[in-house]
Amino acid sequence: MTSESPPPEPAPLLLTRLNRRGFRLVMLLDGVGVFGLSVLTMVWRYGTPPWPTYPLAAYAVSFAVATLVFLSAFYFGGLYEREPRLGGAAVLPRAARLSLAAGGFVALLNLALSGVLRQRGSLIGRALPFPIPNLVAVIVLAGIVVAVNRAVVHALRTRREGPPRVVLAGEWDDIELAREHVAANSTDLVVVAEVDDPHSVVELVERSEATDVLLLTAAWLDLWYPRTIGRLDRADVTVLLRVGGRETLFGLDRLREVAGLPFVLLLPQTLAVSQRHFKRILDLVLVVATAPVWLLLVAGVALHQLVVAGRPLLYSQTRVGAGGETFEMVKFRTMRVDAEAGGGPQLSGSGDPRVIPACRWLRATRADELPQIFHILTGRMSVVGPRPERPELTAGFEKEIAGYTRRHEVPPGLTGLAQIHGRYHTDAEYKLGYDLQYLVNWSPILDLEIIARTIWVVLARRV
């Protein structure tokens, strides 16, 4: 008797695959809206084309560039991240701020391009013919258009899928409280299941085809994070945690109201997809812009190492990168070739006798890490992030330090918050605190601040 293998799962639809990569159909609506506003403001002021001063093609290019800038601002501003249907944050204030930033960038871009082209004698007028009053009108109206698009998409989704199907999870006292609030508030949700066992929620969600889980007992968070929340997120199930006054006083922001109760959104990743993409673009811009400087430094240090340390110039080590995957990280060799003979992997401290005396200044200035810039180009590393550790050490840290795996959410960095505040011998748990603080508070400005402070650490030769 032979057993038949189960049929293969159908391949995800194209739209589903695009959604997982951050593409949303609402992007097209926003693009049409911004471009349409650009055209309508011209029609309102000057009537139907042709319009004065510039050919129609020049206006079309100008409106297309402006639309691309607006969509980029909306994307990197997080407007296209998957938002929960319950207690969603107001879109209009965020869209208005991003529209203002995008419009300002369009104006500056127009001035810069026009100035460059005039200097070359190839332009009389504007590079992007977009009248300032029209641009101001687009800035004001674009936020409204984006908010209306979200409302339309939300209404269509609710009509197609029905109201959110919710699982109440927690201790029975908490479930009863939530049940009372749901009954007393005319909320657009349907409670499909209740569960007081923290270990059976995933199976219950699958059976009930729930779309959202309301975690009502905060003590369960330690049991759910990160595995359970990760499994639910991969199934496109939103998880919201009910918070009380104590958690709010600890600095939680962006509270969401569901059935009269305050919740915060739980995500398996600290950085959103759009933030990780922006961080990657920032890495490439910084590395390419500073290439003349770091290429000369790499060449100079390589020559020094060849004289004082001989071959091999580089030292390769297996390190843990993003997602816990390992990679071979290279650096200039500053220790004896037999530094770990018989001793195995170990952390290096100040005054380590294995370090070649003429190479101590490389470690003090972090110049031995310069070859890792090539890892940044390939995406294995980032300019700023948690420093990569060896898998042998990481395995021990993960057992001893709760939450240590969270530092692997982003590619490891050439420098990081722990490096500018700590030393080589700083305890791993304290470094983790800096790493998690970096993830929670990430912004392009924070990266630039850490880079600037790293330069000071290098100049001060502090380890």
Side-chain angles (χ1 to χ4, degrees):
M1 184 176 179
T2 60
S3 60
E4 295 183 0
S5 59
E9 295 184 2
L13 298 175
L14 175 61
L15 184 58
T16 302
R17 296 199 300 269
L18 291 175
N19 265 267
R20 289 174 181 172
R21 293 181 175 271
F23 176 80
R24 302 288 185 268
L25 277 178
V26 74
M27 290 180 179
L28 298 179
L29 291 178
D30 292 345
V32 171
V34 173
F35 192 90
L37 286 174
S38 304
V39 174
L40 289 176
T41 55
M42 291 296 295
V43 172
W44 175 68
R45 289 191 66 191
Y46 302 110
T48 57
W51 296 314
T53 310
Y54 299 95
L56 184 61
Y59 284 110
V61 171
S62 176
F63 298 160
V65 171
T67 300
L68 181 62
V69 171
F70 273 79
L71 289 181
S72 298
F74 297 154
Y75 177 81
F76 291 117
L79 282 184
Y80 299 120
E81 297 296 334
R82 186 169 66 89
E83 277 286 327
R85 298 170 66 189
L86 294 175
V91 174
L92 183 57
R94 295 171 60 197
R97 290 194 298 269
L98 294 171
S99 295
L100 180 60
F105 185 83
V106 170
L108 292 175
L109 181 64
N110 192 6
L111 288 174
L113 290 176
S114 300
V116 170
L117 293 176
R118 286 196 193 98
Q119 286 183 351
R120 298 180 60 181
S122 57
L123 176 71
I124 300 176
R126 295 179 181 174
L128 300 174
F130 204 134
I132 296 300
N134 295 45
L135 181 58
V136 171
V138 171
I139 292 172
V140 173
L141 296 175
I144 299 175
V145 168
V146 168
V148 170
N149 285 342
R150 295 306 181 285
V152 170
V153 169
H154 180 77
L156 292 175
R157 182 179 179 185
T158 301
R159 182 177 180 180
R160 183 179 69 252
E161 302 177 3
R165 298 170 58 83
V166 176
V167 170
L168 301 181
E171 304 293 342
W172 276 119
D173 290 343
D174 296 325
I175 290 177
E176 289 179 3
L177 175 64
R179 191 188 302 134
E180 294 173 1
H181 276 76
V182 170
N185 292 271
S186 56
T187 54
D188 297 326
L189 61 87
V190 176
V191 177
V192 296
E194 299 173 349
V195 57
D196 64 343
D197 179 6
H199 303 290
S200 60
V201 65
V202 175
E203 293 74 14
L204 182 61
V205 166
E206 293 174 350
R207 290 198 306 269
S208 61
E209 297 182 348
T211 61
D212 301 80
V213 174
L214 298 183
L215 177 54
L216 305 169
T217 303
W220 285 18
L221 186 57
D222 291 338
L223 300 174
W224 281 21
Y225 192 87
R227 183 169 299 175
T228 298
I229 294 175
R231 290 179 63 185
L232 293 172
D233 182 76
R234 288 191 293 273
D236 291 332
V237 175
T238 299
V239 183
L240 296 170
L241 169 67
R242 182 176 71 89
V243 297
R246 182 181 62 178
E247 291 87 359
T248 305
L249 289 174
F250 285 160
L252 292 176
D253 58 0
R254 294 196 65 180
L255 290 178
R256 303 164 185 269
E257 184 270 328
V258 179
L261 296 173
F263 288 85
V264 291
L265 179 65
L266 296 180
L267 295 171
Q269 295 284 340
T270 305
L271 293 186
V273 174
S274 58
Q275 291 177 310
R276 293 199 293 270
H277 288 171
F278 191 92
K279 182 172 173 60
R280 176 63 180 155
I281 292 173
L282 181 62
D283 283 343
L284 293 176
V285 169
L286 289 173
V287 170
V288 172
T290 59
V293 176
W294 62 261
L295 283 173
L296 284 175
L297 289 175
V298 168
V301 173
L303 182 61
H304 170 272
Q305 290 299 96
L306 189 62
V307 173
V308 303
R311 297 180 183 275
L313 289 177
L314 299 177
Y315 176 59
S316 175
Q317 259 188 356
T318 300
R319 296 292 178 105
V320 179
E325 296 183 0
T326 58
F327 70 103
E328 294 301 313
M329 189 192 77
V330 296
K331 60 193 300 187
F332 283 118
R333 182 174 62 86
T334 57
M335 293 187 179
R336 304 188 311 269
V337 177
D338 60 347
E340 291 188 342
Q346 52 186 297
L347 291 172
S348 175
S350 58
D352 194 324
R354 299 173 299 165
V355 178
I356 300 171
C359 298
R360 292 189 183 278
W361 71 271
L362 265 73
R363 298 173 65 85
T365 60
R366 315 290 172 90
D368 57 329
E369 314 285 358
L370 283 173
Q372 294 159 32
I373 295 177
F374 294 101
H375 292 318
I376 299 173
L377 291 172
T378 62
R380 286 290 190 179
M381 292 183 63
S382 179
V383 176
V384 180
R387 284 294 295 162
E389 289 289 358
R390 304 181 69 169
E392 299 89 348
L393 300 174
T394 298
F397 294 150
E398 290 177 355
K399 294 178 181 179
E400 299 170 3
I401 306 173
Y404 190 84
T405 55
R406 295 214 61 176
R407 71 193 304 274
H408 301 145
E409 288 185 9
V410 295
L414 186 64
T415 185
L417 198 62
Q419 280 61 54
I420 63 174
H421 288 292
R423 305 290 193 275
Y424 274 115
H425 57 275
T426 300
D427 183 78
E429 187 166 2
Y430 287 101
K431 285 184 177 180
L432 176 64
Y434 288 122
D435 293 336
L436 297 184
Q437 181 184 355
Y438 169 75
L439 291 175
V440 171
N441 297 286
W442 179 85
S443 71
I445 301 301
L446 179 59
D447 271 6
L448 296 176
E449 178 185 347
I450 291 174
I451 292 170
R453 296 184 67 174
T454 298
I455 295 174
W456 169 250
V457 169
V458 168
L459 295 177
R461 299 180 66 172
R462 194 190 74 185
V463 295

